[in-house]
């Protein structure tokens, strides 16, 4: 699935040129307009904190957020070219599309926050173009904050580690389940670790396209 393309292709002997081509074109963008505009205007990132944008009202207009690290900081796991493509091309296009749709939608849409849209099954049904682009904005904002250019990561500690052992048996079991679920996904998408409020446990869910578990009451 989309966020883990690099991880799954690296060990398969695929040529770098082919791999970069797959990454650069794996994200579909649903736009309300057939006109295309350069993403170079988005290279100057928003001064907003990404978490603030997730809950902000749309009349403030979304801007492409700054990455919390340099474009080459995640190499060799994610190359600079790949990260630039996802941030400056795909993420920027989702932001552009959301602003365009909200701008044309009137007051009925402008009062909604990003999270309200992503959680709304009714809006997903009635306005899938807005929903998919907004969900991809949310997904990418979350994704950027899950990585670090200064190391870290690995097996968690404390309550999260205890809950993972309780619900999956071990951290290795969790990793295997996430990897297996991701590989089986058809096309681009996301594999999430989240807390299911109904089951009161951590669950792994893979969703294609702009899928986000918030719509199912699962907290990433």
């Amino acid at each position: 699935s989309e966020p883990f393309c690099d991880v799954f292709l690296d060990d398969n002997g695929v040529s770098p040129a082919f791999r970069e081509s797959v990454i650069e074109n794996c994200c579909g963008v649903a736009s309300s307009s057939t006109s295309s505009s350069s993403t170079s205007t988005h290279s100057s990132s928003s001064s907003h904190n990404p978490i603030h944008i997730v809950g902000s009202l749309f009349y403030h207009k979304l801007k492409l957020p700054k990455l919390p690290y340099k474009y080459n900081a995640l190499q060799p796991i994610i190359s600079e070219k790949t990260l630039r493509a996802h941030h400056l091309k795909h993420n920027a296009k989702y932001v552009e599309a959301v602003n365009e749709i909200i701008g044309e939608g009137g007051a009925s849409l402008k009062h909604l926050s990003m999270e309200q849209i992503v959680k709304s099954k009714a809006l997903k049904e009635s306005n899938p173009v807005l929903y998919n682009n907004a969900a991809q904005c949310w997904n990418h904002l979350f994704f950027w904050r899950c990585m670090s250019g200064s190391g870290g990561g690995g097996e968690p500690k404390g309550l999260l580690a205890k809950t993972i052992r309780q619900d999956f048996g071990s951290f290795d079991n969790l990793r295997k389940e996430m990897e297996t679920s991701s590989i089986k996904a058809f096309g681009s998408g996301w594999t999430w670790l989240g807390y299911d409020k109904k089951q009161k446990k951590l669950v792994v869910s893979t969703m294609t396209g702009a899928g986000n578990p918030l719509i199912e009451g699962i907290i990433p």
Side-chain angles (χ1 to χ4, degrees):
S1 62
E2 177 185 322
F4 305 106
C5 288
D6 280 339
V7 177
F8 294 131
L9 292 176
D10 276 348
D11 296 329
N12 292 337
V14 179
S15 71
F18 178 76
R19 181 168 71 83
E20 296 292 358
S21 175
V22 170
I23 297 294
E24 190 165 327
N25 294 284
C26 71
C27 307
V29 178
S31 174
S32 62
S33 171
T34 56
S35 63
S36 60
S37 59
S38 172
T39 59
S40 61
T41 58
H42 295 278
S43 60
S44 57
S45 301
S46 167
S47 59
H48 291 290
N49 181 289
I51 297 302
H52 174 71
I53 293 177
V54 169
S56 66
L57 299 183
F58 277 120
Y59 55 74
H60 290 304
K61 196 170 184 179
L62 295 181
K63 294 182 180 180
L64 186 66
K66 289 182 179 180
L67 295 182
Y69 33 71
K70 295 181 179 180
Y71 286 110
N72 62 359
L74 304 180
Q75 296 184 127
I77 304 301
I78 300 180
S79 71
E80 179 177 350
K81 183 177 180 181
T82 294
L83 192 56
R84 284 183 179 276
H86 274 288
H87 184 235
L88 299 176
K89 179 180 178 182
H90 303 302
N91 195 174
K93 188 64 177 178
Y94 300 135
V95 170
E96 178 187 340
V98 168
N99 285 331
E100 182 180 346
I101 297 166
I102 293 294
E104 296 173 351
S108 63
L109 296 178
K110 290 182 179 179
H111 75 283
L112 296 174
S113 70
M114 182 90 70
E115 190 166 313
Q116 286 174 318
I117 291 177
V118 173
K119 286 182 175 181
S120 176
K121 292 184 178 181
L123 194 57
K124 183 178 182 181
E125 181 71 23
S126 64
N127 198 335
V129 177
L130 171 60
Y131 181 89
N132 288 330
N133 280 282
Q136 285 289 35
C137 287
W138 198 104
N139 294 352
H140 279 79
L141 288 168
F142 187 91
F143 180 47
W144 304 140
R145 297 297 291 267
C146 287
M147 299 180 290
S148 169
S150 57
E155 189 167 351
K157 299 178 181 179
L159 179 60
L160 179 56
K162 179 181 178 180
T163 308
I164 288 174
R165 289 194 297 270
Q166 175 182 299
D167 295 337
F168 296 97
S170 69
F171 180 67
D172 283 342
N173 288 345
L174 168 61
R175 289 189 60 174
K176 289 175 183 177
E177 183 168 337
M178 292 193 75
E179 290 171 359
T180 299
S181 183
S182 298
I183 293 172
K184 289 181 179 179
F186 181 79
S188 64
W190 303 84
T191 293
W192 303 88
L193 172 65
Y195 181 75
D196 189 323
K197 292 185 289 186
K198 292 181 179 179
Q199 299 186 59
K200 296 183 178 180
K201 61 182 289 188
L202 293 175
V203 296
V204 171
S205 56
T206 292
M207 311 182 82
T208 57
N212 185 297
L214 285 172
I215 200 170
E216 301 295 340
I218 299 172
I219 304 171

